[in-house]
């Protein structure tokens, strides 16, 4: 038998070059058609004929078919285990019969991917590593890149090793693999490995783009797709959305799933091209037909998903895509079917969809069931089941994102599972494992808790992972000496690092860069540059950037903008539903900047902003009622509104509430509460609070008289440039001099 197999291979080698590949490719196309038509008997017969060729190429092609297409076509054995079996058969041919070619390394790479993710086989990072090393030894450049990715991310419990990852990327680069060059450029740019020169990151990115273009021109769809991304993000080349579109379309010709989905988004959102919902839908449908789970989910949930609302999918077709995706284990599709069942009042069906997922370790489904049973809105409330499924979610949580979601519930005071300390433990685990949302929450939490040192720790962790927003927050902390030793030079380095890493499509980060230029954090203060960055963010659809630009135009002299332009920008942002705009318009009418002064209109906008629970709005509204400006005077309502703002830690309101308790009408006086609020605001470094606390100790108002402490506080307030404190200190010094 073995000799016959050798004879078969020898005969195939005598055929004209490419005949075998073309025949096998035609067989795969035919198999896809049979799967779509549901002709399972014919499908099995043709698959068996391919398998009987005994060629690694046939095994790999069959494996890829089962790995990538079951989502849509409902193949007879639509699972990753079947794909793993075929890849293993391909490798067995190599071992037993000495047949080895490029398809051998493809089998090694494909099987490594399954072992890494635990798809169809038990997750085994070490086994994946061995397979990739075998492929690398055989000269496979893609395997070198993928092993570098594995070492960089530390997936499969192998641990992250940036130096080793860089070595693998360099090996792939030697074999002219462009994606590896871009990956190494990113490591240089983010400072994760030492760069051999100042221009190494840019030089490597340029090299990567040249290799990608070389491969793309040969018809490699994946290279064309990655090249398109480089032009879209300005990576190694000047950002050029038109050229990005050209290469996305080139990749699309090869039915590249990523390109099809990207083009769908571009036509759906009108990015670089005119909005065309039909094209957007057609491209997403093609991606789904190529076997993309994400595309099938998008088609199925388009009618209820605001992110993909531009997809025009009939309900019957949408339901069909969901059922197809759910049939092969898509949790998102199954959950969507469950929610649709809930919408139609079929709670039993919804639970039937979700329970198997939850019992099989799906954290999202467990949390959904917990929430449904806890709220009792769509199904009968059952606290025991709510707790049961919440605990199942905790037991199943492995990924950082799952831990983040559990933590988010536990730190929410209105949750029935509220447990601040336990929630922070989960949040810390998620943050230490790299969840960006957890890192940002912890940075903000410890900042609000007056723990700038811990906040700095979490922001620096995010910055070192390449998060541009965190880099800018670290720069601000270093510049001000907040939570760390003041180091303006290091702060400046973080700003410049952020500028190097900022993506041309990251509007939020652009807004933070604009703020750095506006405040002079880590860079020389430059209002014109701040405006430039805000204009870039606005072009990317960041409506809040309009608010920031309007603020600058209202209070600073900005070339090309007037105060009337500022009001126009405010109203544009108001129409987009940005609640902060109501506050800004209120302040504009209160001060007569850009509009005629009108206390009544100011109060109207402050009221609207207060409904959005903006602390400063409550403070402004409280001051209006307290003083009878724009509304009839109502001291009780004024004090209550100011108290709301103070409770939300708004420093100005904290000071004003303290002064109401100290100096207000008899019915409101409470010196003890007044001192408490002054101390809270002073702890935040508010200079007014420090000054009035000094006066309280000076006069013995609500506290024992203490001239020495009053003097120290007065000096501190003067150092913070409080005008009255500076006058008193100058007078004191002049008196001593006399």
């Amino acid at each position: 038998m073995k000799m016959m197999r050798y004879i078969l291979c020898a005969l195939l080698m005598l055929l004209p070059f490419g005949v075998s590949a073309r025949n096998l490719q035609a067989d795969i196309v035919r198999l896809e058609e049979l799967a779509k038509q549901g002709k399972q008997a014919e499908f099995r017969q043709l698959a068996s004929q391919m398998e009987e060729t005994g060629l690694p190429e046939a095994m790999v092609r069959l494996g890829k078919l089962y790995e990538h297409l079951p989502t849509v076509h409902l193949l007879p054995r639509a699972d990753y285990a079947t794909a793993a079996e075929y890849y293993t058969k391909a490798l067995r041919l190599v071992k037993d019969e000495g047949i080895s070619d490029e398809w051998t390394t493809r089998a090694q790479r494909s099987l490594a991917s399954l072992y890494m993710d635990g798809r169809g086989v038990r997750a085994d990072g070490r086994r994946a590593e061995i397979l990739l090393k075998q492929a690398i030894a055989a000269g496979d450049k893609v395997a070198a890149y993928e092993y570098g990715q594995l070492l960089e991310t530390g997936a499969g419990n192998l641990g992250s090793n940036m130096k080793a990852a860089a070595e693998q990327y360099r090996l792939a680069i030697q074999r002219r693999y462009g994606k590896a060059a871009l990956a190494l450029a990113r490591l240089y740019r983010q400072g994760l490995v030492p760069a051999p020169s100042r221009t190494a990151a840019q030089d490597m990115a340029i090299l990567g783009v040249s290799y990608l273009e070389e491969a793309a021109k040969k018809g490699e769809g994946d290279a064309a797709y990655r090249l398109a991304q480089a032009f879209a993000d300005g990576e190694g080349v000047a950002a050029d959305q038109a050229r990005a579109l050209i290469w996305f379309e080139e990749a699309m010709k090869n039915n590249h799933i990523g390109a099809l989905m990207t083009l769908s988004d571009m036509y759906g959102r009108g990015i670089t091209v005119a909005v065309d919902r039909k094209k957007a839908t057609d491209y997403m449908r093609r991606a789904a037909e190529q076997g993309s789970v994400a595309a099938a989910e998008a088609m199925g949930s388009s009618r209820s998903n605001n992110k993909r609302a531009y997809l025009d999918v009939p309900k019957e077709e949408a339901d069909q895509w969901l059922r197809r995706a759910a049939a092969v284990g898509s949790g998102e599709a199954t959950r969507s079917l469950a929610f649709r069942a809930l919408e139609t009042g079929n709670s039993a069906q919804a639970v039937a969809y979700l329970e198997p997922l939850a019992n099989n370790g799906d954290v999202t489904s467990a949390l959904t069931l917990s929430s449904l049973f806890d709220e009792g809105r769509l199904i009968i409330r059952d606290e025991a089941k709510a707790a049961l499924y919440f605990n199942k979610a905790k037991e199943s949580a492995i990924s950082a994102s799952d831990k983040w979601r559990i933590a988010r519930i536990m730190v929410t005071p209105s949750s029935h599972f509220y447990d601040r300390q336990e929630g922070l433990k989960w949040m810390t685990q998620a943050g230490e494992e790299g969840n960006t949302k957890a890192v940002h929450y912890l940075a903000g939490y410890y900042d609000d808790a007056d723990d700038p040192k811990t906040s700095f720790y979490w922001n620096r962790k995010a910055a070192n992972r390449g998060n541009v927003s965190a880099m800018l927050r670290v720069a601000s902390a270093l510049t001000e000496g907040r939570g760390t030793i003041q180091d303006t030079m290091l702060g400046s380095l973080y700003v410049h690092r952020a500028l190097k890493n900022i993506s041309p499509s990251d509007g939020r980060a652009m807004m933070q860069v604009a703020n750095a230029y506006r405040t002079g954090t880590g860079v020389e203060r430059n209002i014109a540059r701040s405006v430039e960055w805000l204009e870039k963010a606005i072009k990317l659809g960041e409506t809040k950037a309009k608010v920031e630009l309007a603020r600058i135009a209202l209070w600073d002299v900005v070339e090309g903008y007037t105060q009337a332009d500022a009001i126009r920008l405010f109203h544009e942002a108001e129409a987009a539903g940005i609640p902060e705009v109501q506050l800004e318009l209120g302040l504009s009418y209160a001060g007569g900047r850009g509009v005629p002064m009108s206390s009544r209109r100011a109060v109207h906008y402050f009221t609207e902003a207060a409904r959005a629970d903006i602390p400063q709005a409550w403070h402004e509204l409280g001051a209006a009622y307290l003083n009878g400006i724009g509304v009839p005077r109502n001291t009780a309502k004024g004090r209550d509104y100011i108290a709301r703002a103070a409770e939300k830690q708004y420093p100005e309101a904290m000071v004003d509430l303290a002064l109401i308790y100290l100096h207000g009408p008899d019915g409101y006086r409470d010196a003890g509460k007044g001192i408490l609020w002054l101390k809270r605001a002073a702890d935040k470094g508010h200079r007014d609070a420090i000054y009035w606390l000094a006066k309280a100790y000076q006069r013995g108002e609500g506290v024992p008289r203490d001239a020495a402490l009053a003097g120290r506080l007065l000096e501190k307030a003067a150092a913070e440039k409080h005008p009255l404190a500076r006058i008193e200190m100058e007078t004191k010094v002049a008196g001593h001099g006399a």
Side-chain angles (χ1 to χ4, degrees):
M1 181 66 185
K2 187 173 181 180
M3 180 59 70
M4 290 298 294
R5 189 70 55 81
Y6 280 138
I7 293 171
L8 174 62
C9 292
L11 289 171
L12 286 169
M13 290 175 67
L14 293 174
L15 292 173
F17 180 77
V19 169
S20 171
R22 285 202 301 273
N23 288 342
L24 287 173
Q25 178 60 36
D27 287 342
I28 287 293
V29 172
R30 177 61 180 153
L31 281 174
E32 292 176 14
E33 292 173 354
L34 292 171
K36 289 179 183 179
Q37 296 163 9
K39 297 180 179 179
Q40 295 191 14
E42 293 179 51
F43 178 94
R44 290 193 189 96
Q45 183 180 5
L46 181 54
S48 178
Q49 290 171 1
M50 287 183 66
E51 191 173 346
E52 286 174 2
T53 64
L55 293 173
E57 177 185 356
M59 305 306 156
V60 174
R61 285 187 181 276
L62 284 167
K64 287 295 181 186
L65 182 69
Y66 275 90
E67 183 179 353
H68 295 297
L69 295 182
T71 304
V72 181
H73 302 318
L74 301 178
L75 299 182
R77 295 182 63 194
D79 56 24
Y80 293 114
T82 304
E85 288 175 13
Y86 277 117
Y87 297 143
T88 303
K89 285 179 181 179
L91 296 178
R92 195 175 295 129
L93 287 169
V94 177
K95 182 178 179 181
D96 295 345
E97 304 184 18
I99 302 172
S100 181
D101 56 18
E102 65 172 294
W103 294 94
T104 303
T105 57
R106 291 195 188 189
Q108 289 165 333
R109 282 193 280 111
S110 300
L111 190 55
S113 175
L114 295 181
Y115 273 112
M116 184 53 55
D117 299 333
R119 292 175 295 149
V121 291
R122 186 175 181 178
D124 189 339
R126 292 298 173 190
R127 177 65 178 149
E129 184 178 33
I130 290 168
L131 287 163
L132 287 174
K133 284 183 175 180
Q134 289 172 348
I136 293 167
D140 192 288
K141 60 186 179 183
V142 182
Y145 167 74
E146 290 180 355
Y147 187 35
Q149 293 273 285
L150 181 60
L151 291 166
E152 182 182 344
T153 60
N157 295 320
L158 294 178
S160 179
N161 187 331
M162 297 299 175
K163 183 178 179 181
E167 287 304 315
Q168 292 302 319
Y169 291 147
R170 291 188 185 101
L171 182 58
I173 292 165
Q174 289 172 11
R175 298 168 183 177
R176 305 182 75 81
Y177 195 58
K179 289 171 72 173
L182 293 180
L184 185 57
R186 175 173 43 76
L187 294 185
Y188 286 153
R189 190 167 59 248
Q190 294 178 2
L192 297 175
V193 293
S197 68
R198 293 182 63 183
T199 62
Q202 183 63 15
D203 293 343
M204 192 57 64
I206 292 170
L207 180 65
V209 168
S210 70
Y211 285 167
L212 286 173
E213 192 161 7
E214 179 182 293
K217 287 178 178 177
K218 293 178 181 178
E220 293 184 22
D222 192 53
Y225 175 66
R226 189 63 185 86
L227 182 60
Q229 289 180 314
F231 277 111
D233 296 337
E235 189 178 8
V237 290
D240 188 333
Q241 301 304 321
R243 292 193 70 183
L245 177 63
I246 290 170
W247 285 111
F248 278 131
E249 289 177 337
E250 194 65 32
M252 175 266 295
K253 293 176 184 176
N254 287 312
N255 281 326
H256 189 284
I257 288 172
L260 287 165
M261 294 184 70
T262 301
L263 286 167
S264 174
D265 281 343
M266 291 177 75
Y267 279 101
R269 304 177 195 279
I271 301 171
T272 309
V273 293
V275 171
D276 189 327
R277 294 184 64 185
K278 184 179 183 304
K279 277 191 176 181
T281 306
D282 288 344
Y283 283 132
M284 191 64 74
R285 184 180 288 111
R286 280 178 60 182
E289 288 171 350
Q290 291 303 311
S292 167
V293 177
E297 290 167 346
M299 291 290 287
S301 59
S302 59
R303 301 173 70 85
S304 58
N305 187 345
N306 289 333
K307 290 182 179 178
R308 293 272 166 71
Y310 53 78
L311 295 176
D312 189 11
V313 186
K315 184 180 184 302
E316 185 177 340
E317 182 189 359
D319 289 345
Q320 186 180 31
W321 284 115
L322 282 180
R323 285 193 295 271
R324 288 181 173 182
V328 290
S330 166
E332 183 175 330
T334 305
R335 288 190 293 273
S336 294
L337 288 170
F339 291 135
R340 291 197 179 180
L342 286 171
E343 289 170 3
T344 58
N346 194 343
S347 57
Q349 181 63 61
V351 172
Y353 276 126
L354 294 171
E355 279 189 329
L357 291 175
N359 292 330
N360 201 35
D362 184 75
V363 173
T364 301
S365 296
L367 290 176
T368 302
L369 282 169
S370 175
S371 175
L372 289 171
F373 282 116
D374 184 38
E375 295 173 2
R377 287 186 294 110
L378 300 170
I379 55 179
I380 297 172
R381 190 166 190 270
D382 189 326
E383 291 184 12
K385 283 191 175 181
L388 170 70
Y389 284 111
F390 188 72
N391 288 328
K392 277 185 181 290
K394 290 168 68 177
E395 291 166 6
S396 303
I398 296 174
S399 70
S401 60
D402 286 342
K403 292 175 182 177
W404 144 256
R405 290 160 63 209
I406 288 168
R408 195 72 185 91
I409 292 170
M410 297 185 78
V411 299
T412 302
S414 59
S415 167
H416 287 102
F417 303 106
Y418 175 69
D419 185 335
R420 171 71 67 180
Q421 292 307 312
E422 183 69 16
L424 284 173
K425 289 179 183 177
W426 280 87
M427 193 72 75
T428 300
Q429 286 183 39
E432 292 290 4
E433 292 171 18
N435 182 272
T436 302
K437 291 180 179 178
V439 170
H440 288 174
Y441 175 89
L442 289 163
Y445 172 78
Y446 286 108
D447 194 34
D448 292 341
D450 290 328
D451 189 348
K453 185 176 180 180
T454 309
S455 176
F456 178 78
Y457 167 82
W458 285 108
N459 274 315
R460 186 173 59 181
K461 181 177 283 291
N464 290 341
R465 288 177 177 270
N467 185 284
V468 172
S469 298
M471 291 177 195
L472 293 165
R473 285 193 294 272
V474 168
S476 176
L478 286 165
T479 302
E480 299 173 13
R482 189 175 65 255
T484 184
I485 298 171
Q486 187 174 29
D487 190 334
T488 54
M489 184 175 292
L490 184 57
S492 179
L493 287 174
Y494 267 98
V495 171
H496 289 290
R497 184 175 162 194
L499 291 171
K500 285 183 179 180
N501 282 276
I502 193 166
S503 166
S505 59
D506 191 347
R508 292 186 180 181
M510 290 177 182
M511 289 175 62
Q512 288 186 297
V513 171
N515 185 59
Y517 276 110
R518 183 178 62 81
T519 59
T521 301
V523 289
E524 186 176 348
R525 188 171 187 267
N526 189 323
I527 294 298
R529 291 299 305 278
S530 179
V531 168
E532 286 175 13
W533 281 101
L534 288 172
E535 288 173 338
K536 290 179 182 179
I538 290 169
K539 288 179 181 177
L540 290 171
E542 289 292 341
T543 309
K544 287 188 177 182
K546 291 185 178 182
V547 180
E548 295 302 321
L549 180 55
R551 284 174 178 155
I552 294 174
L554 201 62
W555 298 96
D556 285 289
V557 177
V558 181
E559 186 177 351
Y561 290 93
T562 64
Q563 289 188 345
D565 290 323
I567 300 301
R568 173 181 55 78
L569 288 167
F570 280 145
H571 282 300
E572 287 178 6
E574 180 187 16
I578 306 297
E580 294 91 334
V581 179
Q582 309 290 346
L583 172 64
E584 298 297 336
L585 287 168
L587 293 171
S588 298
Y589 278 103
R593 299 190 72 87
V595 290
M597 186 180 291
S598 172
S599 300
R600 183 181 59 79
R601 293 293 301 278
V603 167
H604 163 76
Y605 282 113
F606 290 147
T607 302
E608 291 299 312
R611 285 183 180 136
D613 213 21
I614 297 172
Q616 187 179 351
W618 285 117
H619 179 238
E620 298 292 344
L621 195 58
Y625 276 101
L626 201 64
N627 297 294
I629 300 174
V631 288
R633 191 165 186 257
N634 187 327
T635 53
K637 188 176 282 189
R639 186 197 63 168
D640 288 346
Y641 287 163
I642 290 173
R644 286 196 193 188
E647 286 161 3
K648 294 180 181 299
Q649 305 300 300
Y650 185 62
E652 281 77 5
M654 295 165 80
V655 174
D656 283 354
L657 184 61
L659 295 177
I660 289 172
Y661 280 126
L662 286 169
H663 306 138
D666 290 338
Y668 298 132
R669 286 190 185 180
D670 187 328
K673 286 184 178 180
I675 295 299
L676 177 65
W677 281 108
L678 279 180
K679 286 182 176 179
R680 288 177 179 174
D683 287 343
K684 289 183 172 292
H686 196 280
R687 64 184 188 179
D688 283 349
I690 298 169
Y691 173 77
W692 287 111
L693 196 57
K695 301 304 289 182
Y697 277 106
Q698 191 179 71
R699 299 167 181 164
E701 191 174 29
V703 289
R705 194 186 298 269
D706 188 332
L709 179 55
R712 290 196 296 274
L713 288 169
L714 198 63
E715 286 181 11
K716 186 175 180 181
E720 294 292 333
K721 299 182 180 179
H722 189 281
L724 295 177
R726 293 180 74 176
I727 291 171
E728 289 190 35
M729 289 301 299
E730 289 169 3
T731 303
K732 185 177 179 181
V733 170
H736 281 301

